[in-house]
Amino acid sequence: MANFDQAKKLIASADAVIVTAGNGMAKEEGLDILSEEGFDDEFGAIAEKYDVHTIGDALDKKFASWAEQWEFWSKLIAEYSLNYEPSTTMLNLKTLLKNKKYFIATSTFGHFFESAGFNENRIFNAFGDWTKMQCSSGINHGYKDDREVVRQFVSAAEDNQVTEEMVPRCEVCNSEMELHMPLNANFFPDTDANTRFRWFLTGNEDKKVVVLELGVDLTSPQLLDPIVHLVEKFPNWNYIAADLSQKDLPVDVQKKSLAFNADPHTLLTGLTQK
């Protein structure tokens, strides 16, 4: 295993830290979209009706009605985001980045980093954010916060009072609204956040930068290969990986990286212990 002291020194001396966070980090915050554990117990009717047995499979499925879709979405968002409490792992990341210049690029879509108090202008949600909704027409009419809609659906579901009239609609074209996630071809990434992230990369290309990989796997290649390529390209950039081993990285990157072959919790615990 790589040396925690070496990693601490790299971060301490860095002008900026870029965090890439994927499914492994979402698991730390309680959301495992690929796990079958408990899904059928919690969503038995949905599991049986649509033959889905993970959150990920259910998110990919088009339900019979918009009301049913929003009732399911709302239960997920309420459980994993509205009632979210930062994990020890997340709190350790906040400690690590205190007083550091940083940017977070994540595929977790659960609004975890924003809820944990990180600067919203320093977060790029590559796979969207399910606390926001977009028009389902396929035309980008912007995003709206959906948390009040979620609360209304959760409340109505408790009394079995969910109706189609509750489904939110686009203020521009009156189409049904859907989650701001890549559930279909309608997804429009947050171009403003993407632009801020690109300017951050450009503004630090000649600085001492540490890329801190947390739970990025094959489900989010956008946060792996392109970022590793930047580390390979810029001489003052280094890579610290929670999940990868040294041999998983390109040869030219291995000499400027520390790969722990562990998980975000283990890495961040080691980096914040005195």
Side-chain angles (χ1 to χ4, degrees):
M1 181 176 283
N3 189 298
F4 284 118
D5 288 335
Q6 288 178 281
K8 288 178 183 178
K9 289 177 182 177
L10 283 176
I11 293 172
S13 63
D15 298 311
V17 176
I18 297 167
V19 176
T20 57
N23 190 48
M25 190 65 185
K27 290 179 186 178
E28 295 292 333
E29 304 316 299
L31 176 59
D32 186 352
I33 65 169
L34 303 179
S35 173
E36 296 185 5
E37 184 178 356
F39 184 88
D40 287 9
D41 293 334
E42 189 169 3
F43 300 102
I46 295 296
E48 183 176 353
K49 182 176 181 178
Y50 295 105
D51 191 25
V52 291
H53 304 283
T54 69
I55 291 173
D57 288 341
L59 286 171
D60 285 338
K61 184 69 67 171
K62 180 66 176 176
F63 288 11
S65 73
W66 280 101
E68 185 181 37
Q69 196 97 61
W70 268 101
E71 182 177 351
F72 173 71
W73 287 341
S74 295
K75 186 173 181 179
L76 284 179
I77 295 166
E79 179 174 347
Y80 292 102
S81 297
L82 269 59
N83 299 323
Y84 169 72
E85 293 289 339
S87 69
T88 301
T89 305
M90 184 67 79
L91 296 176
N92 282 339
L93 180 61
K94 287 194 72 176
T95 298
L96 188 68
L97 296 183
K98 186 178 181 181
N99 301 322
K100 299 297 295 188
K101 185 179 177 183
Y102 68 85
F103 211 107
I104 299 168
T106 178
S107 62
T108 57
F109 65 78
H111 206 73
F112 301 128
F113 295 95
E114 294 89 343
S115 296
F118 288 94
N119 185 340
E120 295 194 8
N121 290 321
R122 289 288 175 260
I123 302 170
F124 171 46
N125 291 295
F127 287 3
D129 178 345
W130 70 6
T131 69
K132 293 181 173 62
M133 54 185 174
Q134 64 180 36
C135 180
S136 66
S137 68
I139 298 174
N140 187 0
H141 289 147
Y143 317 117
K144 293 204 56 140
D145 193 299
D146 66 18
R147 284 173 285 189
E148 185 54 38
V149 172
V150 166
R151 293 185 184 96
Q152 291 172 5
F153 267 89
V154 169
S155 178
E158 291 175 353
D159 300 319
N160 199 29
Q161 296 295 317
V162 170
T163 65
E164 286 293 326
E165 288 70 27
M166 295 175 58
V167 174
R169 291 184 172 272
C170 177
E171 295 176 353
V172 178
C173 70
N174 204 42
S175 296
E176 294 86 352
M177 299 292 277
E178 62 187 2
L179 300 185
H180 178 228
M181 292 177 62
L183 306 178
N184 51 48
N186 297 338
F187 177 65
F188 289 93
D190 187 338
T191 53
D192 289 341
N194 188 22
T195 298
R196 289 194 295 270
F197 182 43
R198 289 178 179 274
W199 276 115
F200 188 88
L201 297 175
T202 302
N204 288 284
E205 60 184 345
D206 59 346
K207 305 289 198 313
K208 293 173 67 175
V209 172
V210 167
V211 174
L212 183 63
E213 176 271 307
L214 301 173
V216 175
D217 55 26
L218 295 178
T219 64
S220 47
Q222 301 91 331
L223 302 180
L224 189 58
D225 293 343
I227 300 297
V228 169
H229 176 68
L230 293 178
V231 175
E232 190 174 22
K233 180 177 181 180
F234 299 129
N236 292 326
W237 286 36
N238 290 274
Y239 198 83
I240 299 175
D243 302 75
L244 304 176
S245 61
Q246 211 73 13
K247 62 181 177 59
D248 293 327
L249 296 166
V251 174
D252 289 344
V253 176
Q254 290 182 17
K255 58 191 176 184
K256 51 193 305 193
S257 67
L258 296 168
F260 285 79
N261 194 26
D263 55 59
H265 178 76
T266 300
L267 176 57
L268 289 169
T269 298
L271 292 178
T272 51
Q273 283 181 339
K274 295 183 179 179

